[in-house]
Amino acid sequence: LRWAAELGRIDFLYELSTLSSHLAMPREGHLEAVYNIFGYLDKHSESNMVFDDLVPKLCMDNFPTTDWSKSIYGDIKEEVPPFAPEPLGK
């Protein structure tokens, strides 16, 4: 199933990822879920996925310009433990 997802069948990728989290201790219910995925693939074997490759036109006037160089929290410094070793490098 993972190969099918890698080759482009991304329509069942969430279900496959959820099942993959149970690889250490699979149960009968997980096998039933695999059968359901195979049934879905069999039923939708001729379906096509359509992707829109058009780049949207954005008007940058709609986005506020923000100066991110200043923190909203004021003048803050990183807390360093008192017995931390000197950092190596530049």
Side-chain angles (χ1 to χ4, degrees):
L1 285 175
R2 188 57 108 176
W3 274 102
E6 293 289 332
L7 294 175
R9 290 300 304 259
I10 60 173
D11 49 345
F12 67 98
L13 195 55
Y14 173 75
E15 290 80 5
L16 183 61
S17 297
T18 304
L19 279 175
S20 296
S21 66
H22 300 286
L23 285 176
M25 292 185 61
R27 305 273 190 228
E28 267 187 46
H30 301 121
L31 183 61
E32 292 295 325
V34 170
Y35 291 153
N36 288 337
I37 291 175
F38 277 125
Y40 172 82
L41 291 175
D42 186 39
K43 185 176 180 182
H44 296 93
S45 62
E46 298 295 324
S47 62
N48 293 323
M49 295 189 72
V50 179
F51 295 97
D52 186 8
D53 62 345
L54 296 177
V55 178
K57 295 181 182 178
L58 296 176
C59 179
M60 296 310 287
D61 296 335
N62 296 334
F63 299 97
T65 56
T66 305
D67 181 19
W68 293 102
S69 63
K70 297 178 183 167
S71 173
I72 61 172
Y73 301 108
D75 187 26
I76 58 172
K77 287 189 169 189
E78 179 182 3
E79 291 185 27
V80 180
F83 299 108
E86 289 294 321
L88 301 175
K90 298 180 181 180

